[in-house]
Amino acid sequence: MARFSRRLNMWREAGLIDADHVAAIEKFERERGAAGWVVRGLLGLAAVAIGIGSIALIAANWETIPDTVKIGVDFLLLIALACGVWLMDARGRETGAEILIVAFLIGCLATIGLVSQIFHLAGQLEHALLFWGAITAPLVLLARHRLVAALWSWTVLGAAFASLIRELERSAGWKSDEAFLALYAILPLFAAFIAVLVRKLGRVENLAWALQAAAVITWYASIGLLDASLTWSSGRAESSAAVIIPVAIPAAVALAVGGYVLACIWDGLGRARAILVGVQLILYLALLFVALVTDGKSYFGILFFVALFGLAAADAGRTGRRTLFQWLLAIIGARMLLFYFDAFGGLATTGVGLIGAGVFILLMTLVWHRNRNRVLTWLEGAGQ
């Protein structure tokens, strides 16, 4: 709030708003914040505490409870939670409805486990999670906040990822480490593609946000994973790349091109964003291909890493996301430091290398500072 107040005062001193506007905005934000995330957080904490306590009491007497009683009480609790969600939504109490929806989702998952335990059903955890995702999907449309959409979409994505890895290992002969590497690299492309489709629907903004957040997080994590595979992996015995590449590369290309084209058509990326995103996708696909076909090339890893994170930083700086821009630059600097220690080994040679890198960065910064307006004008385009 202090930073926000300083920004408001700066706008007031610039003549953009007056003192009355500043006071009104600060009052509105204080009231909204006090009744917003703090209340939802405390209610969520209370719900979790009550749930854990109830589970502990039931677990203490689990063996003595008849199966019919277990099933009956479980379904009564689900019915009570569903009625609570309906009442809260009808009365316009979004926070209460959100908390009860989360409790209902957890209750549905617990019910699947209870039925499996009582009737001795065999199966994998990821299959249970996928079934849970299918039967609870309509609830995502009722949620007014992002918590439910994030919980549901991230769980389903993780379960689908684990299930696909297990199936490819069993039926297609993929090795576990290479299957994980290839599929995890495809995961952000898949999440981004689905996010573009969902955003087109227009009524599930929270789900689109959750999928987009998953795509961004797994994108950066996948770049780091592929870089680590190139830098520190060597001598992959009996590699299954000949089996993985004909499937993984076409799938990644199809998702990348499909998502990129749909985003350009539906979201109107603009020239600057389209260029930056397109170049990043090309480099990412090249990085995936190199990581799958080679035994480990440390120089390739850091080149792709710096290029991809540098382009992401340029996009963040262009759109005014200063915090993300600074974090990405810090990550690039840390990666370069690791490279110098790995390549040269000693402090003296590492110091020389870092000094050279620092001078290079200063020169590039000077060139950028003198030409940034011309470059940005060209990127944005006169007709945009």
Side-chain angles (χ1 to χ4, degrees):
M1 190 66 184
R3 172 189 277 181
F4 185 65
S5 297
R6 289 195 300 269
R7 190 174 292 272
L8 287 176
N9 290 325
M10 182 178 64
W11 294 341
R12 178 181 57 80
E13 293 172 358
L16 301 176
I17 56 178
D18 56 29
D20 293 335
H21 288 144
V22 172
I25 293 172
E26 288 181 339
K27 180 181 178 182
F28 172 78
E29 289 295 330
R30 280 195 300 267
E31 293 175 352
R32 186 175 71 93
W37 64 270
V38 175
V39 174
R40 287 197 294 270
L42 292 175
L43 288 176
L45 180 61
V48 171
I50 293 172
I52 293 175
S54 302
I55 292 172
L57 287 175
I58 295 172
N61 302 280
W62 185 254
E63 296 298 332
T64 61
I65 302 175
D67 292 341
T68 53
V69 174
K70 296 176 185 177
I71 292 290
V73 171
D74 180 77
F75 277 95
L76 285 176
L77 287 174
L78 288 179
I79 293 172
L81 289 172
C83 292
V85 171
W86 180 78
L87 288 174
M88 289 291 181
D89 187 66
R91 296 178 180 178
R93 299 179 180 177
E94 296 181 358
T95 300
E98 192 84 1
I99 297 299
L100 291 178
I101 289 175
V102 173
F104 185 83
L105 290 174
I106 297 174
C108 289
L109 185 59
T111 301
I112 294 174
L114 177 61
V115 171
S116 176
Q117 185 264 332
I118 290 176
F119 294 98
H120 305 287
L121 301 178
Q124 303 295 333
L125 174 61
E126 56 267 23
H127 296 160
L129 291 174
L130 289 174
F131 177 71
W132 168 83
I135 64 176
T136 58
L139 285 175
V140 180
L141 302 178
L142 295 177
R144 299 291 188 271
H145 301 284
R146 294 173 173 176
L147 176 61
V148 172
L151 174 65
W152 183 86
S153 60
W154 296 352
T155 303
V156 171
L157 281 175
F161 175 72
S163 179
L164 187 56
I165 285 182
R166 189 184 297 273
E167 181 62 25
L168 289 173
E169 289 177 4
R170 184 186 62 84
S171 61
W174 289 29
K175 290 178 58 180
S176 58
D177 56 342
E178 293 179 343
F180 180 87
L181 182 67
L183 292 180
Y184 194 85
I186 294 174
L187 186 59
L189 302 175
F190 176 76
F193 180 79
I194 299 299
V196 172
L197 295 179
V198 170
R199 192 161 49 242
K200 183 61 176 178
L201 299 178
R203 297 181 60 184
V204 282
E205 292 85 1
N206 291 331
L207 180 59
W209 173 88
L211 289 169
Q212 185 173 344
V216 172
I217 294 171
T218 54
W219 170 269
Y220 290 123
S222 180
I223 293 173
L225 183 66
L226 293 171
D227 174 29
S229 174
L230 284 171
T231 303
W232 291 290
S233 296
S234 61
R236 296 175 185 164
E238 301 179 1
S239 172
S240 57
V243 179
I244 295 177
I245 290 175
V247 178
I249 298 299
V253 171
L255 289 171
V257 173
Y260 178 75
V261 171
L262 293 179
C264 290
I265 295 173
W266 290 343
D267 298 340
L269 292 180
R271 177 186 292 180
R273 197 75 189 277
I275 291 175
L276 287 172
V277 172
V279 174
Q280 288 181 77
L281 287 174
I282 292 173
L283 289 176
Y284 184 81
L285 293 173
L287 172 60
L288 173 59
F289 180 79
V290 172
L292 290 179
V293 300
T294 64
D295 292 352
K297 304 292 183 182
S298 59
Y299 295 101
F300 285 168
I302 189 173
L303 287 175
F304 279 111
F305 185 95
V306 171
L308 285 167
F309 272 76
L311 288 170
D315 186 41
R318 188 189 63 85
T319 54
R321 293 173 290 177
R322 297 182 180 180
T323 302
L324 178 60
F325 175 80
Q326 293 170 357
W327 274 105
L328 290 173
L329 288 184
I331 292 173
I332 291 174
R335 180 63 185 92
M336 293 177 66
L337 181 62
L338 287 176
F339 170 74
Y340 280 118
F341 275 112
D342 186 55
F344 300 111
L347 287 176
T349 52
T350 299
V352 173
L354 288 175
I355 291 173
V359 172
F360 175 75
I361 292 173
L362 287 175
L363 292 175
M364 292 299 297
T365 303
L366 180 61
V367 172
W368 165 254
H369 180 73
R370 291 183 175 180
N371 299 277
R372 66 184 187 281
N373 291 331
R374 180 169 40 182
V375 174
L376 289 176
T377 301
W378 176 78
L379 286 174
E380 293 293 345
Q384 185 171 300

